[in-house]
Amino acid sequence: MRAIITGGTGFIGRALVAELREHDWEIVILSRNPGRVAETFGQGVIGMPWENGWVDMLGPDTVVVNLAGENIAGRWTGGRKKRILASRVEAGKTLVRAVKSTGKPPRALIQASAVGYYGPCGNTPVDEYAPGGTGFLAEVCRQWEASTGVLESMGVRRCTVRTGMVLGQGGAFKRMLPPFRCFLGGYPGSGFQGVSWIHLADEVGAIRFLMDNESASGPYNLTAPEPVNFRKFAHMLGMVLNRPYKTPVPEFALRLLYGEMAREVLLSGQIALPKRLTKAGYRFKFPGLEDALRDLL
Ligand code: NDP
């Protein structure tokens, strides 16, 4: 089997590539820097530009995993917001155009999304049947998911993976560690906002599960079944690192530094439950936060 992965050079993509290589998948990564693919992965992983060379590889032996997108960390200026949205929607549209032009639908498409789909929802748990929320990220997720929606009417089995904060040696979690290690760990604002997290091994495990499971389609929350709030998260992280965690970062400082990003990501949250993934039979390697943190640190 062949996997065509967009965003395969990123934090999640690299771990997925490692997993697929172990199981002898042929791997093609669509990248803005295809030359860097060979540097990163060595022989055996093919880097292709988005523009050409890969379209004829579509077909029933191929699964597409669409992870590409501008990173959302940091302050959202007008220009960044445009890139955050356009990078995702354009990636989806390019895949759709490719399938239409060849008339060779892939066996399946795993379409990335995020728990931000549900918008800020306090501490009310949501599953995949909850409606989309409001705010910039919710709108990005809605358009991102919709960008490849038409493939379903062309017979493609499509799973949208609404991912929580992925814990591993990258992403937001990696950025969180230095202050904790320097005894400056804490939680943003009140700390009562929900944190839907998932260990990288389960993120990759669940994507693999959905790639292989012919009866899986539709939205799936890729989040651990035991979500916490930021206070609990900071407490656990401090405990595992053997560092105090008592320094809350005041709301006004975060708003000043990060503006809208702080309001939508750091100061509000979701408790998104993996209802459909669990029902489909996926077994989490790290359902609980303490074990996940101990494994990583
Ligand atoms: P990364 O930021 O590590 O990697 C994303 C990849 O997308 C990059 O390697 C890059 O590939 C490509 N990319 C970046 N910017 C652009 C752009 N402007 N235009 C086109 N392509 C771009 O992301 P992750 O691996 O952490 O996440 C993968 C996807 O999952 C992302 O879309 C992310 O939003 C989503 N997600 C991640 C979560 C997390 O906690 N990590 C949580 C929820 C959702 P290249 O340079 O090779 O083109």
Side-chain angles (χ1 to χ4, degrees):
M1 286 289 281
R2 178 190 296 126
I4 296 182
I5 308 176
T6 81
T9 55
F11 165 48
I12 297 171
R14 285 196 307 272
L16 178 63
V17 168
E19 157 73 17
L20 294 174
R21 280 181 102 170
E22 271 189 31
H23 294 88
D24 294 327
W25 282 63
E26 181 187 338
I27 298 161
V28 177
I29 293 181
L30 304 192
S31 171
R32 295 163 303 168
N33 269 307
R36 231 185 43 213
V37 170
E39 276 167 35
T40 310
F41 298 99
Q43 297 232 318
V45 178
I46 305 167
M48 292 263 176
W50 280 88
E51 291 76 21
N52 54 50
W54 57 275
V55 172
D56 290 331
M57 295 175 173
L58 289 166
D61 294 335
T62 297
V63 175
V64 178
V65 184
N66 184 22
L67 298 173
E70 171 97 6
N71 203 288
I72 66 160
R75 200 176 172 86
W76 296 344
T77 59
R80 284 217 56 222
K81 282 172 78 173
K82 275 191 192 143
R83 287 200 300 279
I84 287 169
L85 178 63
S87 57
R88 288 172 169 78
V89 172
E90 285 311 314
K93 285 185 177 168
T94 303
L95 293 174
V96 169
R97 274 197 304 274
V99 176
K100 282 186 173 167
S101 73
T102 56
K104 292 200 301 183
R107 185 183 208 89
L109 168 70
I110 308 299
Q111 167 64 57
S113 182
V115 293
Y117 175 87
Y118 303 106
C121 26
N123 283 325
T124 310
V126 286
D127 61 29
E128 294 86 352
Y129 302 100
T134 53
F136 173 65
L137 273 190
E139 182 56 23
V140 168
C141 291
R142 197 189 61 72
Q143 292 195 36
W144 194 10
E145 293 187 10
S147 69
T148 54
V150 70
L151 291 179
E152 288 179 7
S153 64
M154 297 170 71
V156 178
R157 181 173 72 78
R158 190 179 76 120
C159 300
T160 50
V161 290
R162 297 176 183 157
T163 296
M165 177 170 63
V166 179
L167 307 187
Q169 312 303 337
F173 181 63
K174 191 178 172 195
R175 288 190 293 276
M176 219 179 257
L177 292 179
F180 269 88
R181 289 205 158 109
C182 299
F183 295 88
L184 291 169
Y187 45 82
S190 74
F192 290 117
Q193 47 300 35
V195 184
S196 294
W197 60 274
I198 184 167
H199 189 296
L200 181 60
D202 279 316
E203 173 72 12
V204 168
I207 291 176
R208 244 335 275 285
F209 176 81
L210 297 172
M211 288 171 81
D212 292 347
N213 186 339
E214 295 292 336
S215 59
S217 67
Y220 290 86
N221 289 340
L222 264 51
T223 54
E226 296 170 24
V228 293
N229 63 28
F230 261 117
R231 278 187 188 231
K232 179 95 187 271
F233 191 91
H235 168 73
M236 286 273 183
L237 188 53
M239 191 180 77
V240 171
L241 286 172
N242 207 9
R243 296 283 193 278
Y245 69 100
K246 291 277 185 210
T247 326
V249 189
E251 201 172 313
F252 78 88
L254 290 169
R255 282 179 192 271
L256 203 68
L257 269 174
Y258 297 117
E260 193 177 358
M261 193 283 269
R263 201 166 61 241
E264 285 210 15
V265 181
L266 303 172
L267 297 168
S268 57
Q270 295 86 16
I271 302 276
L273 300 172
K275 188 169 183 173
R276 297 196 68 230
L277 193 60
T278 311
K279 199 164 170 217
Y282 180 74
R283 296 260 175 281
F284 280 84
K285 295 177 187 86
F286 297 99
L289 183 59
E290 185 173 345
D291 284 348
L293 293 176
R294 289 202 186 283
D295 178 70
L296 291 167
L297 298 169

